[in-house]
mmCIF file with all atom_site columns, all heavy atoms in Angstrom:
data_model
loop_
_atom_site.group_PDB
_atom_site.id
_atom_site.type_symbol
_atom_site.label_atom_id
_atom_site.label_alt_id
_atom_site.label_comp_id
_atom_site.label_asym_id
_atom_site.label_entity_id
_atom_site.label_seq_id
_atom_site.pdbx_PDB_ins_code
_atom_site.Cartn_x
_atom_site.Cartn_y
_atom_site.Cartn_z
_atom_site.occupancy
_atom_site.B_iso_or_equiv
_atom_site.pdbx_formal_charge
_atom_site.auth_seq_id
_atom_site.auth_comp_id
_atom_site.auth_asym_id
_atom_site.auth_atom_id
_atom_site.pdbx_PDB_model_num
ATOM 1  N N   . LEU A 1 83 ? -9.001  17.872 0.966  1.00 97.00 ? 775 LEU A N   1
ATOM 2  C CA  . LEU A 1 83 ? -9.929  18.154 -0.154 1.00 97.00 ? 775 LEU A CA  1
ATOM 3  C C   . LEU A 1 83 ? -9.253  17.854 -1.454 1.00 97.00 ? 775 LEU A C   1
ATOM 4  O O   . LEU A 1 83 ? -9.890  17.243 -2.364 1.00 97.00 ? 775 LEU A O   1
ATOM 5  C CB  . LEU A 1 83 ? -10.374 19.635 -0.023 1.00 97.00 ? 775 LEU A CB  1
ATOM 6  C CG  . LEU A 1 83 ? -11.422 20.065 -1.044 1.00 97.00 ? 775 LEU A CG  1
ATOM 7  C CD1 . LEU A 1 83 ? -12.693 19.281 -0.838 1.00 97.00 ? 775 LEU A CD1 1
ATOM 8  C CD2 . LEU A 1 83 ? -11.683 21.596 -0.929 1.00 97.00 ? 775 LEU A CD2 1
ATOM 9  N N   . LEU A 1 84 ? -8.029  18.281 -1.668 1.00 97.00 ? 776 LEU A N   1
ATOM 10 C CA  . LEU A 1 84 ? -7.330  18.055 -2.943 1.00 97.00 ? 776 LEU A CA  1
ATOM 11 C C   . LEU A 1 84 ? -7.146  16.554 -3.209 1.00 97.00 ? 776 LEU A C   1
ATOM 12 O O   . LEU A 1 84 ? -7.306  16.050 -4.337 1.00 97.00 ? 776 LEU A O   1
ATOM 13 C CB  . LEU A 1 84 ? -5.980  18.768 -2.968 1.00 97.00 ? 776 LEU A CB  1
ATOM 14 C CG  . LEU A 1 84 ? -6.041  20.318 -3.004 1.00 97.00 ? 776 LEU A CG  1
ATOM 15 C CD1 . LEU A 1 84 ? -4.691  20.893 -2.863 1.00 97.00 ? 776 LEU A CD1 1
ATOM 16 C CD2 . LEU A 1 84 ? -6.719  20.750 -4.274 1.00 97.00 ? 776 LEU A CD2 1
ATOM 17 N N   . ALA A 1 85 ? -6.778  15.873 -2.120 1.00 97.00 ? 777 ALA A N   1
ATOM 18 C CA  . ALA A 1 85 ? -6.508  14.407 -2.269 1.00 97.00 ? 777 ALA A CA  1
ATOM 19 C C   . ALA A 1 85 ? -7.698  13.694 -2.725 1.00 97.00 ? 777 ALA A C   1
ATOM 20 O O   . ALA A 1 85 ? -7.656  12.724 -3.593 1.00 97.00 ? 777 ALA A O   1
ATOM 21 C CB  . ALA A 1 85 ? -6.013  13.808 -0.960 1.00 97.00 ? 777 ALA A CB  1
ATOM 22 N N   . LYS A 1 86 ? -8.886  14.065 -2.190 1.00 96.00 ? 778 LYS A N   1
ATOM 23 C CA  . LYS A 1 86 ? -10.119 13.345 -2.454 1.00 96.00 ? 778 LYS A CA  1
ATOM 24 C C   . LYS A 1 86 ? -10.730 13.712 -3.812 1.00 96.00 ? 778 LYS A C   1
ATOM 25 O O   . LYS A 1 86 ? -11.087 12.974 -4.658 1.00 96.00 ? 778 LYS A O   1
ATOM 26 C CB  . LYS A 1 86 ? -11.127 13.540 -1.389 1.00 96.00 ? 778 LYS A CB  1
ATOM 27 C CG  . LYS A 1 86 ? -12.471 12.792 -1.525 1.00 96.00 ? 778 LYS A CG  1
ATOM 28 C CD  . LYS A 1 86 ? -12.249 11.245 -1.467 1.00 96.00 ? 778 LYS A CD  1
ATOM 29 C CE  . LYS A 1 86 ? -11.865 10.834 -0.081 1.00 96.00 ? 778 LYS A CE  1
ATOM 30 N NZ  . LYS A 1 86 ? -11.891 9.342  0.089  1.00 96.00 ? 778 LYS A NZ  1
ATOM 31 N N   . THR A 1 87 ? -10.783 15.089 -4.069 1.00 96.00 ? 779 THR A N   1
ATOM 32 C CA  . THR A 1 87 ? -11.539 15.593 -5.237 1.00 96.00 ? 779 THR A CA  1
ATOM 33 C C   . THR A 1 87 ? -10.631 15.635 -6.493 1.00 96.00 ? 779 THR A C   1
ATOM 34 O O   . THR A 1 87 ? -11.153 15.367 -7.641 1.00 96.00 ? 779 THR A O   1
ATOM 35 C CB  . THR A 1 87 ? -12.059 17.018 -4.979 1.00 96.00 ? 779 THR A CB  1
ATOM 36 O OG1 . THR A 1 87 ? -10.961 17.862 -4.701 1.00 96.00 ? 779 THR A OG1 1
ATOM 37 C CG2 . THR A 1 87 ? -13.031 17.057 -3.831 1.00 96.00 ? 779 THR A CG2 1
ATOM 38 N N   . GLU A 1 88 ? -9.326  15.937 -6.358 1.00 96.00 ? 780 GLU A N   1
ATOM 39 C CA  . GLU A 1 88 ? -8.498  16.028 -7.543 1.00 96.00 ? 780 GLU A CA  1
ATOM 40 C C   . GLU A 1 88 ? -7.814  14.751 -7.912 1.00 96.00 ? 780 GLU A C   1
ATOM 41 O O   . GLU A 1 88 ? -7.532  14.512 -9.076 1.00 96.00 ? 780 GLU A O   1
ATOM 42 C CB  . GLU A 1 88 ? -7.445  17.147 -7.336 1.00 96.00 ? 780 GLU A CB  1
ATOM 43 C CG  . GLU A 1 88 ? -7.989  18.512 -7.130 1.00 96.00 ? 780 GLU A CG  1
ATOM 44 C CD  . GLU A 1 88 ? -8.725  19.064 -8.352 1.00 96.00 ? 780 GLU A CD  1
ATOM 45 O OE1 . GLU A 1 88 ? -8.268  18.737 -9.510 1.00 96.00 ? 780 GLU A OE1 1
ATOM 46 O OE2 . GLU A 1 88 ? -9.717  19.733 -8.188 1.00 96.00 ? 780 GLU A OE2 1
ATOM 47 N N   . TYR A 1 89 ? -7.601  13.863 -6.918 1.00 97.00 ? 781 TYR A N   1
ATOM 48 C CA  . TYR A 1 89 ? -6.776  12.687 -7.150 1.00 97.00 ? 781 TYR A CA  1
ATOM 49 C C   . TYR A 1 89 ? -7.542  11.358 -6.835 1.00 97.00 ? 781 TYR A C   1
ATOM 50 O O   . TYR A 1 89 ? -7.063  10.284 -7.111 1.00 97.00 ? 781 TYR A O   1
ATOM 51 C CB  . TYR A 1 89 ? -5.465  12.675 -6.399 1.00 97.00 ? 781 TYR A CB  1
ATOM 52 C CG  . TYR A 1 89 ? -4.605  13.854 -6.838 1.00 97.00 ? 781 TYR A CG  1
ATOM 53 C CD1 . TYR A 1 89 ? -4.653  15.079 -6.146 1.00 97.00 ? 781 TYR A CD1 1
ATOM 54 C CD2 . TYR A 1 89 ? -3.708  13.760 -7.909 1.00 97.00 ? 781 TYR A CD2 1
ATOM 55 C CE1 . TYR A 1 89 ? -3.908  16.180 -6.555 1.00 97.00 ? 781 TYR A CE1 1
ATOM 56 C CE2 . TYR A 1 89 ? -2.937  14.831 -8.239 1.00 97.00 ? 781 TYR A CE2 1
ATOM 57 C CZ  . TYR A 1 89 ? -3.037  16.015 -7.609 1.00 97.00 ? 781 TYR A CZ  1
ATOM 58 O OH  . TYR A 1 89 ? -2.259  17.100 -7.989 1.00 97.00 ? 781 TYR A OH  1
ATOM 59 N N   . GLY A 1 90 ? -8.749  11.519 -6.292 1.00 96.00 ? 782 GLY A N   1
ATOM 60 C CA  . GLY A 1 90 ? -9.592  10.326 -6.021 1.00 96.00 ? 782 GLY A CA  1
ATOM 61 C C   . GLY A 1 90 ? -8.951  9.323  -5.054 1.00 96.00 ? 782 GLY A C   1
ATOM 62 O O   . GLY A 1 90 ? -9.149  8.141  -5.220 1.00 96.00 ? 782 GLY A O   1
ATOM 63 N N   . VAL A 1 91 ? -8.229  9.817  -4.054 1.00 96.00 ? 783 VAL A N   1
ATOM 64 C CA  . VAL A 1 91 ? -7.569  8.934  -3.122 1.00 96.00 ? 783 VAL A CA  1
ATOM 65 C C   . VAL A 1 91 ? -8.630  8.229  -2.297 1.00 96.00 ? 783 VAL A C   1
ATOM 66 O O   . VAL A 1 91 ? -9.539  8.880  -1.777 1.00 96.00 ? 783 VAL A O   1
ATOM 67 C CB  . VAL A 1 91 ? -6.618  9.682  -2.156 1.00 96.00 ? 783 VAL A CB  1
ATOM 68 C CG1 . VAL A 1 91 ? -6.031  8.812  -1.091 1.00 96.00 ? 783 VAL A CG1 1
ATOM 69 C CG2 . VAL A 1 91 ? -5.537  10.374 -2.938 1.00 96.00 ? 783 VAL A CG2 1
ATOM 70 N N   . PRO A 1 92 ? -8.592  6.916  -2.196 1.00 94.00 ? 784 PRO A N   1
ATOM 71 C CA  . PRO A 1 92 ? -9.689  6.183  -1.550 1.00 94.00 ? 784 PRO A CA  1
ATOM 72 C C   . PRO A 1 92 ? -9.870  6.427  -0.089 1.00 94.00 ? 784 PRO A C   1
ATOM 73 O O   . PRO A 1 92 ? -11.017 6.466  0.432  1.00 94.00 ? 784 PRO A O   1
ATOM 74 C CB  . PRO A 1 92 ? -9.296  4.655  -1.783 1.00 94.00 ? 784 PRO A CB  1
ATOM 75 C CG  . PRO A 1 92 ? -8.333  4.728  -2.905 1.00 94.00 ? 784 PRO A CG  1
ATOM 76 C CD  . PRO A 1 92 ? -7.667  6.011  -2.885 1.00 94.00 ? 784 PRO A CD  1
ATOM 77 N N   . ARG A 1 93 ? -8.749  6.654  0.649  1.00 93.00 ? 785 ARG A N   1
ATOM 78 C CA  . ARG A 1 93 ? -8.869  6.878  2.082  1.00 93.00 ? 785 ARG A CA  1
ATOM 79 C C   . ARG A 1 93 ? -8.005  8.099  2.462  1.00 93.00 ? 785 ARG A C   1
ATOM 80 O O   . ARG A 1 93 ? -6.856  8.179  2.170  1.00 93.00 ? 785 ARG A O   1
ATOM 81 C CB  . ARG A 1 93 ? -8.272  5.656  2.765  1.00 93.00 ? 785 ARG A CB  1
ATOM 82 C CG  . ARG A 1 93 ? -8.549  5.575  4.213  1.00 93.00 ? 785 ARG A CG  1
ATOM 83 C CD  . ARG A 1 93 ? -9.941  5.281  4.610  1.00 93.00 ? 785 ARG A CD  1
ATOM 84 N NE  . ARG A 1 93 ? -10.234 4.876  5.945  1.00 93.00 ? 785 ARG A NE  1
ATOM 85 C CZ  . ARG A 1 93 ? -11.374 4.701  6.448  1.00 93.00 ? 785 ARG A CZ  1
ATOM 86 N NH1 . ARG A 1 93 ? -12.460 4.905  5.779  1.00 93.00 ? 785 ARG A NH1 1
ATOM 87 N NH2 . ARG A 1 93 ? -11.500 4.382  7.748  1.00 93.00 ? 785 ARG A NH2 1
ATOM 88 N N   . VAL A 1 94 ? -8.703  9.061  3.151  1.00 94.00 ? 786 VAL A N   1
ATOM 89 C CA  . VAL A 1 94 ? -8.047  10.272 3.611  1.00 94.00 ? 786 VAL A CA  1
ATOM 90 C C   . VAL A 1 94 ? -8.228  10.358 5.132  1.00 94.00 ? 786 VAL A C   1
ATOM 91 O O   . VAL A 1 94 ? -9.330  10.396 5.555  1.00 94.00 ? 786 VAL A O   1
ATOM 92 C CB  . VAL A 1 94 ? -8.626  11.515 2.949  1.00 94.00 ? 786 VAL A CB  1
ATOM 93 C CG1 . VAL A 1 94 ? -7.912  12.786 3.447  1.00 94.00 ? 786 VAL A CG1 1
ATOM 94 C CG2 . VAL A 1 94 ? -8.387  11.407 1.370  1.00 94.00 ? 786 VAL A CG2 1
#
Side-chain angles (χ1 to χ4, degrees):
L775 185 62
L776 291 174
K778 184 65 71 174
T779 60
E780 297 296 324
Y781 298 91
V783 176
R785 190 73 165 171
V786 177

